[in-house]
Amino acid sequence: MTKTKLLLPLLQLRIAVNFKKRNGSRMLIQDSLKRKLIIQEDFPWRLPVLSNREEAETSETCDEILKYVGGVDLSFSKDDPSVACGTLVVLDIANLNVLYQDSSVVKLHIPYIPGFLAFREAPVLLELLKKMKTSASPFYPQLLMVDGNGILHPRGFGLACHLGVLADLPTIGIGKNLHHVDGLTLAKVRHCLEENSSKDIITLIGDSGRTLGAAMRSKEGSLKPIFVSVGHSISLATAIKIVKMTCRFRIPEPIRQADIRSKECLQKLNHEK
DNA sequence: GCGACAG
DNA sequence: ATCTTGTCGC
């Protein structure tokens, strides 16, 4: 009896120390990957003109035009939270049709810790991208939209940045909830949105003065915004344009489709059991 | 010390 | 992330 009363706190202490150590090394990894991060335009293509897309398709120039937009998301099993399905989709930005889809069911060993989402989710998604690249699919994305933040992150290096750097792809981070960072709070954001009710986008500037992203009412008259931030090799202005082009509903279509299809994948798996 | 904390 | 029904509206 007394033994357990003594050992329990010791075990908890050990666990807490290990937790701190692991996150410390993860912070170092984030800092070192961050040196490769590009926060400006760095891609070979240009945006399509959707109002007259016929013309854009057969443009006289030989410039590359953005067409293949990827989306990634994970869903989790309700029975076993360590079982997840990662999905990669690629849509045609001109009509938002799904051109490619692939899913992978995996067992996760790393827990979700705020600020360290990438260590849990990135491995599966990178594997899906790698598989697509090595299979020489003609639809390999020119840009990736990620379910999670970019530089809107405690150390300026969220999941979207992590994936962008490691996959060497332009990425855009999309948050469905605000990660409270650099003095930003939901109350402040709501206040700003109410003040400028004419605008559907407000820039998120932290206490440090840095521009971290944008809160965007992607659906007409919707109160709940989405949070757009730069992932890799793109500017916030371009990221916002692309998000607008891909929003049929509140969540941009590439991410929404990845979400829907990853859930379907788990459903099927459950059904087979 | 307390609260906050993407998915 | 996940558990959850109906319901109000275009």
Side-chain angles (χ1 to χ4, degrees):
Chain A
M1 269 304 184
T2 54
K3 260 189 183 176
T4 57
K5 277 186 181 172
L6 271 169
L7 285 175
L8 199 58
L10 280 174
L11 274 171
Q12 285 172 338
L13 181 66
R14 246 181 82 91
I15 290 166
V17 168
N18 286 336
F19 184 83
K20 229 179 169 177
K21 267 190 183 175
R22 272 194 296 270
N23 283 346
S25 63
R26 285 170 188 154
M27 282 170 62
L28 293 179
I29 292 170
Q30 288 176 328
D31 287 341
S32 90
L33 287 176
K34 191 177 167 181
R35 287 178 300 156
K36 302 181 181 178
L37 187 68
I38 298 167
I39 309 191
Q40 293 160 26
E41 317 282 59
D42 184 37
F43 42 74
W45 38 262
R46 59 194 176 82
L47 296 185
V49 183
L50 293 186
S51 52
N52 47 355
R53 51 173 185 259
E54 300 295 329
E55 198 178 317
E57 300 267 358
T58 59
S59 174
E60 72 290 345
T61 73
C62 52
D63 284 358
E64 193 181 336
I65 293 174
L66 176 63
K67 182 176 175 70
Y68 303 119
V69 179
V72 286
D73 190 25
L74 294 199
S75 291
F76 297 85
S77 162
K78 54 180 179 182
D79 327 306
D80 185 351
S82 70
V83 171
C85 173
T87 297
L88 165 65
V89 295
V90 179
L91 315 206
D92 184 337
I93 198 173
N95 51 28
L96 300 183
N97 288 340
V98 177
L99 301 172
Y100 178 94
Q101 150 177 16
D102 190 21
S103 293
S104 168
V105 176
V106 292
K107 187 151 179 93
L108 298 179
H109 301 98
I110 297 169
Y112 166 66
I113 300 161
F116 300 100
L117 178 64
F119 295 88
R120 177 168 165 86
E121 299 200 346
V124 202
L125 303 174
L126 287 169
E127 197 58 38
L128 287 166
L129 284 166
K130 185 180 163 193
K131 180 180 166 190
M132 186 175 186
K133 194 160 199 173
T134 55
S135 72
S137 165
F139 305 128
Y140 192 78
Q142 295 157 291
L143 168 113
L144 194 63
M145 300 185 70
V146 179
D147 183 5
N149 293 322
I151 63 171
L152 178 52
H153 177 274
R155 285 166 298 285
F157 199 77
L159 174 61
C161 304
H162 204 110
L163 284 176
V165 167
L166 289 183
D168 192 24
L169 267 178
T171 55
I172 299 173
I174 305 291
K176 298 188 278 294
N177 295 288
L178 177 66
H179 194 163
H180 291 205
V181 157
D182 198 6
L184 294 175
T185 64
L186 188 55
K188 284 186 191 173
V189 173
R190 274 184 184 155
H191 190 70
C192 282
L193 280 171
E194 281 170 21
E195 275 189 346
N196 316 301
S197 54
S198 56
K199 288 184 182 175
D200 49 0
I201 293 177
I202 64 158
T203 305
L204 299 173
I205 299 170
D207 286 348
S208 65
R210 286 167 158 248
T211 295
L212 302 175
M216 183 171 162
R217 288 199 290 246
S218 49
K219 198 189 167 192
E220 190 92 26
S222 124
L223 291 180
K224 187 167 174 141
I226 59 173
F227 301 93
V228 181
S229 59
V230 166
H232 183 52
S233 298
I234 201 166
S235 69
L236 182 58
T238 303
I240 288 171
K241 284 182 192 166
I242 294 172
V243 169
K244 278 184 176 171
M245 284 188 246
T246 54
C247 269
R248 223 151 38 197
F249 306 105
R250 185 174 87 102
I251 306 298
E253 211 53 19
I255 289 173
R256 189 172 156 264
Q257 288 301 327
D259 179 59
I260 290 170
R261 287 155 200 257
S262 66
K263 277 172 182 150
E264 278 176 0
C265 175
L266 283 179
Q267 290 280 329
K268 279 185 186 173
L269 200 74
N270 233 336
H271 205 272
E272 284 170 12
K273 278 183 182 176

